[in-house]
Amino acid sequence: MRILVVAALYPPDSRGGAENSAANLTRWLARQGHEMAVLTTAGSRAEELHGVEIDGIRIWRLRTAHLYPARNAPVAPRWKKPIWHLQDHMDPRNPGLVAKVIEAFRPDFVNVHFVQGIGYNALAEIASAGVPALFLLHDLGLACMRMSMFRDGANCARQCLGCRLSSRYKAALIARFKRIGFCSPSRANLATLSALFPIDRYPHTSIPNPNLYDRPDLPRPASDLVRLLYVGRLHRSKGVELLLEAAEGLAATHRFQLTIVGGGAEAARLKDRYPPSTWLRFAGHVPEAAVSGYMRDADLLCVPSLWQENWPGVAVRALELGLPVLGSRIGGLPELIDPGQTGDLVPAGDRAAWIAALRRVLENPMELARWQRNAEAMRGRFDQDRLGERMLAFMATIAGSSAAATEARED
């Protein structure tokens, strides 16, 4: 099967786990013998690629008409964002880029990961081609232009007017497809979107991302202090400052080390407020391949998210490496963590609860060791081949193969 992947960001252009998940599924499908192509964005005309084969996958990396490329969104001036989103919805040049790639590649199927940054109106071009499509729900983008339903440090109680109008427009574009389905890695994300967008009209399911993670070559080294780890963007929605506040409150009475891996909009401010000390170090942004090494040298991963995390790949990766997780009770995290067995869950944004949870961990090393043994015993829960086969079966269901229907049911 010839499968076109639409992803506005695609490695090496990547801001997080969702882009890596898009690449993982694409590479897995290529290894199963499918002919794969990717349509993604370029930062400039000089970076463009037109169907160049890289590692067996044809890449179209194109500069869109947008005011700034998708990868610059986190640092773009606020006044440019409304113009950018208007272009993303309505610029008549967007469908033309997709039309050229469809004509050149002639796909049998399309996987849409991120169309924001290529242009939502480009969906009309895919629909008019009559090609069946799988829309992978990595976030809340169909309901929210920020893709997170998180604004000014808090989760949105409802859609704002702009997001409601945008969502209706996107629903009208989706309605043009003859064959389309939706897949979310978490049931929580699927439920949230279903309340705001007419997903229930189409085939839909929940299948964890079929990712493949590097494993460290060496076992976890012993340590006489508890090693806490955070991996991810330094952004208000991630709750990093809450974690730092909680850890700082325990640093005078407990021995531990907290390592913060990642960069982002909050990096400079957090480093100024929390200078390096015996209990804290900032590692900055590290290559994807280096993350497993940091996890090997840690005893507990902390995921203090404030927004409705869909399916944080960092938590999946940790559990697959036998590293327990202390996470917020929000979004898809409760589907990953077995409280008291492979980690624990804490009310999102509750500073006192995070202090109490960290104190329990620091004062009960035997409990933490039990979590580690349980996590190690559950390795393979997110096996890439098994999850990839489920994804492929659901794609067959969308394309019209009833034989795969029973395999594609939601868990």
Side-chain angles (χ1 to χ4, degrees):
M1 186 161 55
R2 298 164 67 87
I3 304 172
L4 173 63
V5 173
V6 178
L9 292 176
Y10 189 86
D13 248 356
S14 179
R15 289 206 305 264
E19 294 87 349
N20 293 326
S21 293
N24 265 280
L25 178 56
T26 301
R27 293 165 187 158
W28 184 85
L29 288 167
R31 290 197 298 273
Q32 309 316 304
H34 298 282
E35 191 173 345
M36 304 300 298
V38 175
L39 168 58
T40 188
T41 62
S44 66
R45 297 293 181 195
E47 297 176 11
E48 287 195 330
L49 300 174
H50 298 268
V52 176
E53 187 170 313
I54 300 176
D55 296 329
I57 298 169
R58 295 179 68 186
I59 305 292
W60 274 267
R61 192 176 292 276
L62 307 178
R63 178 67 173 99
T64 67
H66 292 65
L67 197 58
Y68 51 82
R71 72 184 186 196
N72 290 353
V75 296
R78 291 177 66 93
W79 68 267
K80 289 187 177 182
K81 291 184 181 292
I83 302 171
W84 190 93
H85 282 292
L86 184 62
Q87 286 183 296
D88 200 59
H89 284 63
M90 300 292 188
D91 196 304
R93 291 169 288 185
N94 297 335
L97 292 179
V98 177
K100 290 177 182 178
V101 176
I102 289 177
E103 182 179 0
F105 185 63
R106 299 192 178 278
D108 304 308
F109 201 96
V110 176
N111 283 352
V112 179
H113 287 269
F114 314 101
V115 72
Q116 183 165 308
I118 292 174
Y120 273 101
N121 56 342
L123 289 171
E125 192 63 39
I126 302 173
S128 66
V131 183
L134 169 62
F135 202 115
L136 292 115
L137 304 170
H138 294 287
D139 48 46
L140 299 171
L142 289 176
C144 173
M145 287 187 285
R146 290 173 176 265
M147 308 175 87
S148 62
M149 294 286 288
F150 187 92
R151 185 174 185 175
D152 298 328
N155 289 294
C156 301
R158 62 186 66 85
Q159 288 175 301
C160 63
L161 176 60
C163 286
R164 285 202 304 273
L165 294 174
S166 169
S167 191
R168 290 175 186 172
Y169 175 68
K170 294 164 188 172
L173 291 169
I174 293 294
R176 299 189 185 191
F177 283 81
K178 293 180 180 178
R179 292 171 292 173
I180 190 169
F182 296 88
C183 180
S184 166
S186 77
R187 295 186 295 275
N189 187 65
L190 193 61
T192 300
L193 268 174
S194 294
L196 301 167
F197 192 87
I199 286 174
D200 290 345
R201 298 178 187 174
Y202 309 95
H204 57 278
T205 191
S206 174
I207 303 172
N209 295 317
N211 290 340
L212 181 66
Y213 299 112
D214 294 331
R215 293 188 181 277
D217 296 329
L218 301 173
R220 181 171 288 111
S223 173
D224 61 351
L225 78 167
V226 176
R227 297 159 296 186
L228 306 175
L229 177 67
Y230 170 87
V231 178
R233 288 186 298 121
L234 304 189
H235 187 271
R236 291 183 70 184
S237 64
K238 294 291 189 177
V240 190
E241 188 161 17
L242 179 146
L243 175 62
L244 288 166
E245 289 174 354
E248 184 181 47
L250 295 166
T253 55
H254 295 76
R255 293 185 69 245
F256 65 89
Q257 184 175 70
L258 171 61
T259 300
I260 304 292
V261 175
E266 294 283 287
R269 186 181 68 82
L270 291 176
K271 288 179 181 179
D272 285 343
R273 180 173 176 183
Y274 297 94
S277 65
T278 55
W279 65 270
L280 173 66
R281 64 168 175 153
F282 286 88
H285 177 77
V286 303
E288 180 68 18
V291 172
S292 292
Y294 280 93
M295 289 186 173
R296 176 201 61 198
D297 295 336
D299 297 303
L300 181 69
L301 177 74
C302 298
V303 187
S305 300
L306 302 179
W307 81 289
Q308 299 180 72
E309 286 273 12
N310 182 356
W311 192 256
V314 65
V316 178
R317 185 175 195 162
L319 292 169
E320 283 292 282
L321 294 174
L323 178 65
V325 180
L326 183 66
S328 296
R329 189 179 291 110
I330 194 169
L333 279 164
E335 298 173 42
L336 282 165
I337 302 165
D338 188 0
Q341 298 300 318
T342 59
D344 210 350
L345 294 167
V346 186
D350 189 330
R351 180 176 176 273
W354 269 91
I355 291 175
L358 288 172
R359 180 183 291 114
R360 287 195 300 272
V361 168
L362 296 173
E363 294 178 355
N364 295 277
M366 297 301 291
E367 178 75 355
L368 180 57
R370 187 175 65 84
W371 289 359
Q372 291 172 351
R373 290 194 299 270
N374 291 339
E376 288 170 357
M378 295 183 68
R379 285 180 176 178
R381 175 182 167 194
F382 304 106
D383 177 72
Q384 185 184 42
D385 289 333
R386 182 175 59 82
L387 296 175
E389 291 293 346
R390 288 182 60 193
M391 194 75 75
L392 196 53
F394 185 58
M395 291 166 62
T397 300
I398 296 167
S401 171
S402 60
T406 56
E407 293 184 46
R409 289 177 185 163
E410 180 178 349
D411 286 345

